Amino acid sequence: MLTFLFVDEDPRSLAALRRLVRDLPGCKRFARGVAEALALVREEPPAVVVSSELLPDGDGLCLLEQVRARYPRTACALHTALPPRTPRARGITWMDRAAPPSELYALLRALGAGVVGSPA
């Protein structure tokens, strides 16, 4: 089953994401920090992880890099206002925090489809 994990310290942002993705197929999980997200990843590796950049207990980009290192087939996206300027962000998609909901929804569908459609 397709599983999404969304990580953001702001409960209002998580609520907005929850509303946005309610029609996406698959399981959706939500975390408010790095430690909680990593615990959820250990329980069940997600197909797609979306994280904000600034988290109360760490850095969202580092979280995504840890997930990709352990689960290279997991699609990862950084949900932030500015694209990451660091070369370590390779393999991690940028999601514009100011993008219209329809654009974010389309990107999430594409990320999920890419994981499901990738060869075993």
Side-chain angles (χ1 to χ4, degrees):
M1 175 193 281
L2 185 61
T3 302
F4 291 85
L5 173 60
F6 298 92
V7 187
D8 198 304
E9 73 172 330
D10 181 2
R12 293 171 302 196
S13 293
L14 284 178
L17 285 167
R18 192 175 273 115
R19 285 188 304 275
L20 176 71
V21 302
R22 68 178 167 251
D23 295 331
L24 277 178
C27 175
K28 292 86 163 185
R29 300 169 88 191
F30 301 87
R32 294 202 44 208
V34 173
E36 185 181 358
L38 289 174
L40 290 173
V41 167
R42 283 190 293 275
E43 278 179 23
E44 179 184 350
V48 179
V49 179
V50 177
S51 178
S52 67
E53 189 168 22
L54 300 174
L55 299 170
D57 59 348
D59 176 82
L61 184 57
C62 290
L63 165 66
L64 296 175
E65 288 174 333
Q66 289 178 50
V67 171
R68 294 240 345 133
R70 182 140 195 204
Y71 304 100
R73 301 182 110 199
T74 298
C76 292
L78 189 66
H79 191 222
T80 187
L82 298 172
R85 294 195 174 138
T86 171
R88 61 186 180 144
R90 274 179 252 174
I92 296 174
T93 302
W94 170 59
M95 291 179 65
D96 186 350
R97 208 166 181 92
S102 59
E103 189 177 311
L104 294 177
Y105 186 83
L107 180 56
L108 288 167
R109 284 188 60 84
L111 287 172
V115 172
V116 171
S118 66

